[in-house]
Amino acid sequence: MRTYEGAEKNIRHSPWRLNLVCQLAAGLPLQEALTQLEFCKKGKAPLVQEVLKRTSNLASIRHGLQISQLEVAECFATKGVPLKRIRIMGRGRSGKMERKHSHMRVILREIDFKLRIYQAPTVGQKKKWFLLQQEADRDGRRAQAEREELRRLEKQAKEAMKNQT
């Protein structure tokens, strides 16, 4: 299965709190993860959603995979390099304070629908994965037709430019 990596570095946010948002999306089909993040009230949910979309665009450009054909294999945040600042305290004393930063990493992979249908424990889940497979196939065929149409139009434009000269 093809995998695609996305990352965001030096996010001015606590890695612990950012990881809570990342765990919300991890393990879900991409469309479902984007929907979950759309309604999440956490502050960095739009950032995680943006990174997921950017990585799915990478998959679309490289191999023509659509959002319905991808799942979030991994999504996590790690500790970044903090900014060290002075903390002023009473009686003329001072201390050290750190402004936390995070790095986020996202890995998307192509869904193996046959395996998911086989591993589903209930009939309802098998039906859910089967319907998702049909939707993904439909989206893939539509995207393929659009790419072929673009190629055909580009070819016609090149021929028209040759005929003009």
Side-chain angles (χ1 to χ4, degrees):
M1 307 286 13
R2 294 177 278 212
T3 60
Y4 306 92
E5 291 186 22
E8 184 76 22
K9 301 279 184 181
N10 296 323
I11 303 166
R12 174 71 181 86
H13 202 68
S14 164
W16 187 81
R17 293 190 319 176
L18 184 61
N19 211 24
L20 290 176
V21 179
C22 288
Q23 287 175 354
L24 184 65
L28 295 176
L30 184 57
Q31 187 64 46
E32 201 171 316
L34 292 173
T35 305
Q36 288 288 331
L37 291 170
E38 184 74 34
F39 295 103
C40 181
K41 293 183 180 180
K42 297 284 186 183
K44 293 296 178 179
L47 176 72
V48 176
Q49 189 177 22
E50 176 188 323
V51 173
L52 287 173
K53 285 181 183 177
R54 190 173 27 185
T55 310
S56 71
N57 287 340
L58 181 70
S60 176
I61 291 168
R62 286 188 183 165
H63 294 106
L65 293 175
Q66 301 302 307
I67 288 178
S68 59
Q69 297 171 324
L70 296 168
E71 68 181 342
V72 183
E74 293 179 17
C75 183
F76 59 90
T78 57
K79 189 175 179 181
V81 179
L83 290 175
K84 294 177 175 74
R85 296 290 182 253
I86 189 170
R87 180 176 177 167
I88 299 170
M89 299 188 288
R91 295 183 168 180
R93 294 178 297 157
S94 63
K96 187 170 68 170
M97 179 173 55
E98 290 186 347
R99 304 229 183 246
K100 295 180 176 67
H101 280 69
S102 306
H103 302 315
M104 184 174 64
R105 184 166 180 225
V106 172
I107 297 178
L108 300 181
R109 82 172 153 228
E110 189 177 6
I111 300 175
D112 186 2
F113 287 105
K114 291 180 181 179
L115 180 66
R116 290 297 179 117
I117 292 169
Y118 178 74
Q119 288 180 341
T122 64
V123 174
Q125 288 179 355
K126 288 181 189 293
K127 183 178 178 181
K128 173 192 153 194
W129 282 109
F130 183 72
L131 292 174
L132 286 173
Q133 180 184 15
Q134 287 180 333
E135 180 184 346
D137 290 342
R138 199 172 334 121
D139 288 345
R141 284 193 301 271
R142 187 179 69 239
Q144 181 68 26
E146 288 174 2
R147 282 194 301 276
E148 288 174 3
E149 180 71 15
L150 281 173
R151 285 188 194 121
R152 187 183 62 79
L153 290 172
E154 287 174 354
K155 191 175 182 180
Q156 282 181 355
K158 285 181 183 178
E159 289 175 5
M161 293 296 288
K162 283 182 181 179
N163 292 336
Q164 287 180 356
T165 58

